[in-house]
Amino acid sequence: MFITSLPALSPRKRQGSLLFLLKVLARRSSSSFLSGNPTRSIPASKDGIPNRFRPGHRPSFGAGDIHIREGRLAHLITIRRSFCSSLSQDEHLKSGSGSIPDAAARVLDPSCLDAVAPIKVKVVHKKPIDFTKLDINFLPAVILVGRPNVGKSALFNRLIRRREALVYNTPDDHVTRDIREGIAKLGDLRFKVLDSAGLETEATSGSILQRTATMTANVLARTHFAVFLIDARAGLHPLDLEVGKWLRKNAPEIKPVVVLNKAELLFDGTESFSEAADEARILGFGDPIAISAETGFGMTALHEALRPSLEDYVLQVLNSDCEDKGLQQCSESSLEEVDDSKLPLQLAIVGRPNVGKSTLLNALLQEERVLVGPEAGLTRDSVRAQFEFQGRTIYLVDTAGWLHRTKDEKRPSSLSIMQSKKNLMRAHVIALVLDAEQIVQAGRSMTHAEVVIARRAVEEGRGLVVVVNKMDLLKGKRAGSLYEKVMESVPMEIQTVIPQVTGIPVIFTSAIEGKGRIPVMRQVIETYEKWCSRLSTARLNRWLRKVMSRHSWRGEGSQPKIKYVTQVKARPPTFVAFTSGKKHQLSEAEIRFLTRSLKEDFGLDGIPIRIMERCVPKSNGGGQSSGSSGKNASSTRRVRMLGTDNKAVEA
């Protein structure tokens, strides 16, 4: 390989080409490049190429040439002084034979090459930004603020395109109490939107309204933008002025976007909108935007008002994040789509009111994420929070207290129960929270409402973990025996009440003291991994032969002829047993035997298992046509599934 001159390249490109070639040759040469005992130098020919190389011979260096030997393959690089001077202006290659100059050794050292003249590529993102491809960590946060009953939750549902937040017309009450978070989809915009409780700045100290205002102020300090909602039908209310003052005090760096909600009737040809807009300008936050969260009117105007600010923020975040990264690294980290195959764990915290569900969620997140207090039924909305635990993404859902409601009752509490049931259906693992103090007072582990929750979770095929909270109340001289008694009796009583699933895990915690957080999460992950487990057909058939041989059947005729067993799905594990012979159907006892053996041999305790039975009769004689045999087989084939409630269904 020869490099004599590169007249067509600029000095910067010549320097980059030289560095690349030197790195490659230095790495290929490794230890053999300067190894061996020095021998007699062999003179080079006129053109600088040695006639031959001997084993162990050190290469000789001319005035401007460097001879590099690697094994029996010789490479000659003729480096002109102009190239070397671009790397180091203070040192020049000197002529010599039988030794390597110090400057050339430093140039050929791979560690030196990494440090010499690094070329940094500064990535600069430009407008327009494709928000749909941004990672969730780079999305800006927008909080919805305003006085009570102005339509914040309705706008939240409109932006996330789902009916997640409770919406109920209560002029004298507050429906939303906690901060809800979701991903807004407003046209091509994507951002985090937070629904907050209605603000009343003059609330008494220690009241629910005062605690919700404090929580909103804490969240507002971590957000980037705000949308200030006003009821266009009622006009500018004195509470709106108080909220404006509160925003200037708690977030002076944020200029909110003023939105006139419920404005679908203002554009009737009169001056209604102009009058409402003039009133809104008194707040001092600029011109308002007229929308209707219920009908979707004005979403385009809201998009145009938010896009410039959101785009400038995203550009600043991306450029600052990619300042010290290369183009490929930056594009992979910030603009790469999320892999849908790696689904996060969905954990729902359910239970009766005032058992410590919200306190447990705050303990797991290690922050004051939701509102807590001694009042029963404090949580209304099901709050969803995301956090990382041991490298795994987990979504926590704090649900409202589970109570039996009548059909005629239509209040926010009844809507909360409906929302809790929906979240139970979506979750992968259910954490049923019990109150240790109530267990001691009632003399039993689970009430009727808690049994209903547990059985509903098992019937739906979800993993179940029982958490006994408030164990700190049973400590002391008088309650010392009660503490041990509860720990012994609760697992046995739960197994008696829910016999469909054996080995339901029970964890004892004190959420207010922060104890038991790690055991709860480890047990949840262990249950989730069992819930997602898959077993190969070969392994199941080997297990089946051992199980059928060790069971004491009444006789050979009573033993079911199971051809093979296979797993058809996970989450929860579902198996199909193919049987044949005169006795096609498996009895309840045989199904329970197979289920118990699966759990014991494969460690699937604590999760529901479903076994389906498919009876395939023996084929008829060879004289029958294939079409008729297939028709008879399909007509006599019966599929029988045993659900988690031990009820068989035939089809």
Side-chain angles (χ1 to χ4, degrees), residues 203-399:
T204 58
S205 178
S207 63
I208 296 178
L209 298 179
Q210 191 271 335
R211 282 181 282 169
T212 56
T214 303
M215 183 179 298
T216 304
N218 295 334
V219 176
L220 185 64
R222 302 193 300 266
T223 55
H224 315 103
F225 306 95
V227 174
F228 186 7
L229 276 79
I230 301 175
D231 190 350
R233 298 175 185 173
L236 190 64
H237 196 274
L239 281 179
D240 295 329
L241 299 175
E242 297 295 331
V243 173
K245 295 179 182 178
W246 183 88
L247 281 173
R248 288 190 177 90
K249 178 181 178 182
N250 292 274
E253 70 283 355
I254 296 179
K255 183 180 180 181
V257 177
V258 180
V259 170
L260 293 174
N261 194 22
K262 308 177 185 179
E264 63 272 10
L265 299 179
L266 294 182
F267 297 89
D268 54 356
T270 62
E271 298 181 356
S272 301
F273 173 72
S274 60
E275 294 176 358
D278 292 338
E279 290 183 354
R281 293 188 184 95
I282 299 176
L283 297 171
F285 296 124
D287 296 333
I289 300 172
I291 69 166
S292 175
E294 185 177 359
T295 62
F297 168 76
M299 292 296 108
T300 302
L302 182 61
H303 175 277
E304 295 175 355
L306 290 176
R307 183 175 181 84
S309 301
L310 298 182
E311 200 167 34
D312 292 341
Y313 171 81
V314 171
L315 283 175
Q316 181 181 359
V317 171
L318 292 179
N319 291 331
S320 61
D321 180 75
C322 301
E323 186 176 1
D324 298 330
K325 295 181 181 180
L327 178 60
Q328 184 176 2
Q329 271 187 322
C330 178
S331 61
E332 291 178 355
S333 61
S334 59
L335 298 177
E336 191 180 46
E337 295 184 359
V338 181
D339 189 2
D340 295 334
S341 62
K342 299 180 180 179
L343 297 177
L345 192 157
Q346 308 278 348
L347 173 62
I349 304 176
V350 299
R352 295 190 301 112
N354 206 25
V355 295
K357 301 183 297 298
S358 300
T359 308
L360 178 61
L361 183 135
N362 288 339
L364 295 177
L365 297 177
Q366 295 183 322
E367 64 172 321
E368 295 296 327
R369 178 65 176 79
V370 294
L371 190 65
V372 296
E375 300 88 355
L378 191 60
T379 302
R380 286 181 175 174
D381 275 296
S382 294
V383 181
R384 182 186 177 94
Q386 177 185 356
F387 82 111
E388 301 286 334
F389 181 79
Q390 296 181 354
R392 184 189 297 269
T393 302
I394 298 177
Y395 284 110
L396 287 174
V397 181
D398 179 25
T399 61

Side-chain angles (χ1 to χ4, degrees), residues 339-565:
D339 189 2
D340 295 334
S341 62
K342 299 180 180 179
L343 297 177
L345 192 157
Q346 308 278 348
L347 173 62
I349 304 176
V350 299
R352 295 190 301 112
N354 206 25
V355 295
K357 301 183 297 298
S358 300
T359 308
L360 178 61
L361 183 135
N362 288 339
L364 295 177
L365 297 177
Q366 295 183 322
E367 64 172 321
E368 295 296 327
R369 178 65 176 79
V370 294
L371 190 65
V372 296
E375 300 88 355
L378 191 60
T379 302
R380 286 181 175 174
D381 275 296
S382 294
V383 181
R384 182 186 177 94
Q386 177 185 356
F387 82 111
E388 301 286 334
F389 181 79
Q390 296 181 354
R392 184 189 297 269
T393 302
I394 298 177
Y395 284 110
L396 287 174
V397 181
D398 179 25
T399 61
W402 193 292
L403 288 176
H404 179 70
R405 300 291 178 183
T406 61
K407 295 182 179 179
D408 298 334
E409 186 176 2
K410 295 181 179 180
R411 292 183 59 83
S413 55
S414 61
L415 299 177
S416 300
I417 301 306
M418 297 175 59
Q419 194 178 64
S420 299
K421 293 180 180 179
K422 291 181 181 179
N423 284 285
L424 187 143
M425 299 285 293
R426 298 174 183 173
H428 301 152
V429 181
I430 308 297
L432 176 58
V433 183
L434 307 180
D435 189 343
E437 189 177 21
Q438 293 179 2
I439 291 175
V440 174
Q441 294 175 359
R444 56 178 181 176
S445 300
M446 302 177 68
T447 62
H448 175 72
E450 293 163 343
V451 173
V452 170
I453 297 173
R455 289 182 177 176
R456 178 71 64 85
V458 173
E459 290 173 1
E460 296 297 334
R462 304 296 185 256
L464 181 62
V465 176
V466 178
V467 180
V468 182
N469 194 21
K470 302 184 182 181
M471 291 297 293
D472 56 296
L473 300 178
L474 302 183
K475 292 183 179 180
K477 296 181 179 180
R478 297 181 180 180
S481 59
L482 295 177
Y483 187 90
E484 300 294 336
K485 184 178 179 180
V486 169
M487 294 189 66
E488 294 177 1
S489 62
V490 170
M492 294 186 296
E493 292 183 14
I494 290 175
Q495 188 59 59
T496 304
V497 175
I498 312 173
Q500 297 92 337
V501 179
T502 59
I504 295 177
V506 181
I507 307 297
F508 300 89
T509 65
S510 175
I512 196 171
E513 295 180 353
K515 296 180 180 179
R517 170 181 173 268
I518 301 300
V520 168
M521 291 311 306
R522 288 178 178 173
Q523 187 60 60
V524 167
I525 292 178
E526 181 181 351
T527 303
Y528 178 73
E529 291 176 351
K530 292 180 181 179
W531 191 64
C532 299
S533 60
R534 284 188 174 272
L535 303 174
S536 63
T537 303
R539 187 179 178 187
L540 286 172
N541 289 327
R542 289 193 298 267
W543 162 82
L544 180 63
R545 288 193 295 268
K546 295 180 181 179
V547 167
M548 300 301 289
S549 62
R550 74 189 183 196
H551 189 272
S552 57
W553 305 98
R554 295 181 180 179
E556 294 183 359
S558 63
Q559 179 178 351
K561 295 182 180 180
I562 303 178
K563 300 179 67 175
Y564 65 94
V565 178

